[in-house]
Amino acid sequence: MAKKRTIRTIPQQRTAVREQEPAQRVRNFAEVNCGYTLEQALNEADRCLLCPEAPCVAGCPVSIDIPNFIQKIGEKNYRGAYDVITDTNLLAAVCGRVCPQETQCEGVCVVGDSLEPVAIGRLERFIGDLAIVEGWTNIPYIELNGLQVGVVGSGPAGMACAADMAKAGCNVTVYEAFHEAGGVLKYGIPEFRLPNNVVDAEIGKLLKLGVKFECNTLVGRLFTIEQMISEMGYDAVFIGVGAGYPSFMGIPGESLNGVLSANELLTRCNLMHAGDFPKHDTPLQLGRRVAVIGAGNTAMDAMRVSLRLGAEQVHCIYRRTKAEAPARAEELHHAEEEGIAFHWLTSPVELLDDGRGGVRGMRCIRMELGEPDDSGRRRPLPLEGSEFEFDCDTVVYAIGTNANPILGQTSKLKLKKRGYIEVDENLATSIMGVFAGGDIVTGAATVIEAMGAGRKAARSMKRYLGLRDTDVVYRPERIGSEHTLFGIDLGERNYARLREVRV
Amino acid sequence: MSEPERAAGFEILDRQDFSDATYSLVIRHPRMAKAARPGQFVIVMLHGAGERIPLTIADFNRQAGTITLVIQAVGKTTKEMQQTCRAGSFLHALVGPMGMPSALTGRRKVVCVGGGLGVAPIFPQARGFKENGAYVIGIVGFRTKKLIFWQEKFQACCDELILCTDDGSAGIKGFVSDGIKLAIDRHRDIDEVIAIGPPVMMRACAETTRPRAIKTVVSLNPIMVDGTGMCGGCRVKVGGAVKFACVDGPDFDGHQVDFHDLVMRLGRYAVQEKAAVQRWSENCRMKEPDFSLDVFETPDPFEQVLGG
């Protein structure tokens, strides 16, 4: 056995990853981060201290056994590393790319106390990509239990829930309103950050698990949640529709042409391929000076997409400072490298008409930071008399999203304030057999948190359906011979039906 | 629907041509036929590289499991559909029904107004009001006699039908707003007027009823991408507030709608749309239809997004 690693013996420098040069990449939609090579991955794997009480695992919303998979990489057992990740996360290639690792696993990495933390996200992506190239899938042997599960929304929450329920032997159907599955991974996150073929590869794994996808289906309007339970034969339903209803500020000039939500910009570009107009029919009217309001991941995506679509200048307008910007560190860094102009402590108060229905600029006001608000971030306050005009011809709103009203309009689901679905600690809604998770419960969050919620809901659904939860050590809920047979709960519908087989 | 059919798309069962530019498609979708209510719309994609266009559901047949769309070929996509959609062919995507259904109950006497391409989508409302026991006055307007369609369908569900043509070749000579004047002079107890058509027409209708304070509902169909409240492209101003037509509408109080704002926003992609039509016309092999001037309507650029 090799000598125990210590902070002094491991490679001190975090292994750099090749990235497309900023000058080159702003002209294409190819991925910015090219991913680790085999050598780079091995080098980075050597930096992990393999802590016995790994804080990184607790830092991961789905608790991937991180030291274990990194150790397997070090042993050149890549398939083994993939098996470890897929124990808890079906979408390694996606999460390796889009998780905010700096606030999760890498944020609590012990190495990070004195050096740069282990690049866990890059290693996860390395394994995820390798699995796609090699065609690895871990398909368990599934004995169908005859139960029907409906999943509303094909984004990260829905996919995670669908995978778990399919593995438990349920017949799972995922409904998607768009013509393609993937939700925010498809329409929202751009190609240079998460290529659509990676998303399709991950969806392919769900298909292999037997999950069915029905696109072009707007649940609530084509049929209701109640109908799914009462007429369509679903034993349980998971709602993971996200919170995609875009916010505007309610300032004058927002209905001018040239003002749009980041959702609209990204959907036109990512899902409808407006960049390829007229080969693809969907147009996108972008001006030369684009101002994006907000500094989250969506704002970064909108800015960088605008650059790639040919905008001459792209500006970020944010009412707080860089320190409070909610974007993932890598995205902010990439945006800076690509020449986005950042205007911190600035907020628009009016969008100005060019006289032809378009935008000629906006009137902004400078801000300063006051006392912390409910979110813990310092509240921005306007500086009296600091207003100024800012030239731009396109304004993109990326200031967050709200709950979509359709399910609220069409079902008796109990809602919280502002239209989010009310759930209990098991993610059960007010309707029996209906569970919900992800952004539609919590408000806008991250891909991995949505996946975590999807998996948590799946655990609750399995309990509700009387299915053995394969993730936990089993103990009968009610002891006594009238309830159990050889220690197995008689209320359970399937036990020992699952065994792993390799394909 | 079985898997191979789903992969192919949504099957067109029948097509009828009402004029050089207007045609109807009957599409098989039993679940949507069951769910559809008057006032709702669908989003259609012709092929994988196509755009998503909103079209109001012009009819639905629960027994046959079909929905009907009436389309006017004015933009690139609607012209391409005119050329390629045939009985037996498939649409790439069809999603709906979308939007809030129109409120149909509790009215004793209503006026249903359809102008141009608004004629087809007003039909389910007229029929719905009739089924709910209202006295229905239908007002439909066309440019000229040769463009008239579905007259018998309206006659079957309307207690009175006022036909208007711009040139007086059939019915009364005048716009649908002239028809409304006739109707409200004749009937003092109208509960509601519902009007569908180009923005200019709907505004004229709303202005006609405003002095009498008769509740007037209009159906807006601005530019949309998803139709589910996600893009915000369809935002309209109603009574000073911003609404999303796809989830808050498409029906709104015509006396409150800011039509100027609507028309301005409908022109957002006018340049690209014109270029796309131009490009498509140059590249397509099919002969342009014979534009005999007395029949062919000069397309209203807003009618495509407003119509059936």
Side-chain angles (χ1 to χ4, degrees), chain A residues 459 463 468-475:
Chain A
R459 283 195 288 278
R463 257 199 313 280
R468 177 167 186 159
D469 186 344
T470 50
D471 295 333
V472 295
V473 179
Y474 172 72
R475 282 182 202 86

Side-chain angles (χ1 to χ4, degrees), chain A residues 444-494:
Chain A
T446 61
V447 168
I448 189 74
E449 285 167 296
M451 287 182 51
R455 303 205 67 205
K456 185 178 174 188
R459 283 195 288 278
S460 304
M461 275 174 142
K462 286 186 235 174
R463 257 199 313 280
Y464 168 76
L465 295 171
L467 295 173
R468 177 167 186 159
D469 186 344
T470 50
D471 295 333
V472 295
V473 179
Y474 172 72
R475 282 182 202 86
E477 279 178 22
R478 292 179 299 174
I479 312 292
S481 60
E482 69 273 32
H483 302 304
T484 61
L485 180 66
F486 307 123
I488 296 171
D489 197 327
L490 285 173
E492 228 180 81
R493 301 247 191 113
N494 73 333

Side-chain angles (χ1 to χ4, degrees), chain A residues 26-63:
Chain A
V26 296
R27 297 182 205 293
N28 66 50
F29 276 88
E31 268 198 284
V32 169
N33 179 328
C34 306
Y36 274 158
T37 62
L38 201 65
E39 293 72 33
Q40 287 170 332
L42 286 170
N43 191 57
E44 189 61 22
D46 279 346
R47 297 185 71 235
C48 178
L49 295 175
L50 308 175
C51 314
E53 288 188 17
C56 52
V57 179
C60 173
V62 295
S63 307

Side-chain angles (χ1 to χ4, degrees), chain A residues 180-421:
Chain A
E180 280 184 34
V184 72
L185 305 177
K186 270 278 177 63
Y187 75 74
I189 303 178
E191 197 69 10
F192 55 82
R193 202 145 84 74
L194 177 63
N196 278 351
N197 57 25
V198 171
V199 182
D200 286 332
E202 306 282 31
I203 291 169
K205 292 180 195 162
L206 289 179
L207 294 171
K208 284 189 185 160
L209 284 175
V211 174
K212 286 186 285 297
F213 284 87
E214 283 208 33
C215 294
N216 295 301
T217 305
L218 180 60
V219 177
R221 293 271 172 230
L222 191 59
F223 47 82
T224 63
I225 297 288
E226 282 89 341
Q227 280 176 302
M228 289 178 79
I229 295 282
S230 63
E231 293 171 24
M232 295 169 70
Y234 285 106
D235 298 293
V237 171
F238 173 72
I239 302 171
V241 296
Y245 195 82
S247 301
F248 292 87
M249 292 172 73
I251 60 175
E254 282 180 349
S255 58
L256 292 171
N257 293 339
V259 182
L260 68 167
S261 72
N263 272 1
E264 180 172 359
L265 169 73
L266 293 171
T267 304
R268 282 178 183 270
C269 178
N270 301 339
L271 183 74
M272 305 307 293
H273 309 285
D276 270 342
F277 182 82
K279 220 171 94 195
H280 287 256
D281 289 335
T282 302
L284 178 59
Q285 165 97 55
L286 265 193
R288 293 184 307 163
R289 280 175 62 98
V290 177
V292 176
I293 305 168
N297 286 321
T298 307
M300 300 301 141
D301 287 345
M303 289 187 271
R304 297 171 67 200
V305 160
S306 301
L307 268 185
R308 283 159 176 76
L309 291 173
E312 286 168 19
Q313 291 181 28
V314 180
H315 299 267
C316 174
I317 310 292
Y318 185 53
R319 61 198 183 129
R320 293 181 161 104
T321 73
K322 187 176 171 181
E324 289 85 21
R328 213 171 154 249
E330 187 185 20
E331 309 313 325
L332 195 58
H333 171 67
H334 281 158
E336 284 178 331
E337 277 187 342
E338 289 171 13
I340 308 287
F342 286 88
H343 305 268
W344 308 114
L345 293 169
T346 306
S347 186
V349 289
E350 183 184 357
L351 308 182
L352 306 167
D353 193 337
D354 68 357
R356 298 182 304 276
V359 176
R360 71 169 166 84
M362 52 191 189
R363 208 147 47 77
C364 294
I365 190 162
R366 303 258 184 237
M367 313 292 279
E368 62 180 346
L369 293 183
E371 294 302 306
D373 63 10
D374 297 341
S375 72
R377 297 177 302 175
R378 293 176 64 194
R379 188 193 303 273
L381 302 165
L383 270 174
E384 292 265 336
S386 67
E387 291 191 12
F388 64 100
E389 281 195 13
F390 182 88
D391 285 346
C392 57
D393 51 18
T394 304
V395 177
V396 181
Y397 276 84
I399 55 169
T401 50
N402 292 310
N404 188 293
I406 294 177
L407 289 182
Q409 289 169 348
T410 57
S411 77
K412 293 196 162 60
L413 280 170
K414 199 167 169 196
L415 303 179
K416 293 187 287 191
K417 260 196 316 205
R418 308 204 331 202
Y420 294 104
I421 295 177

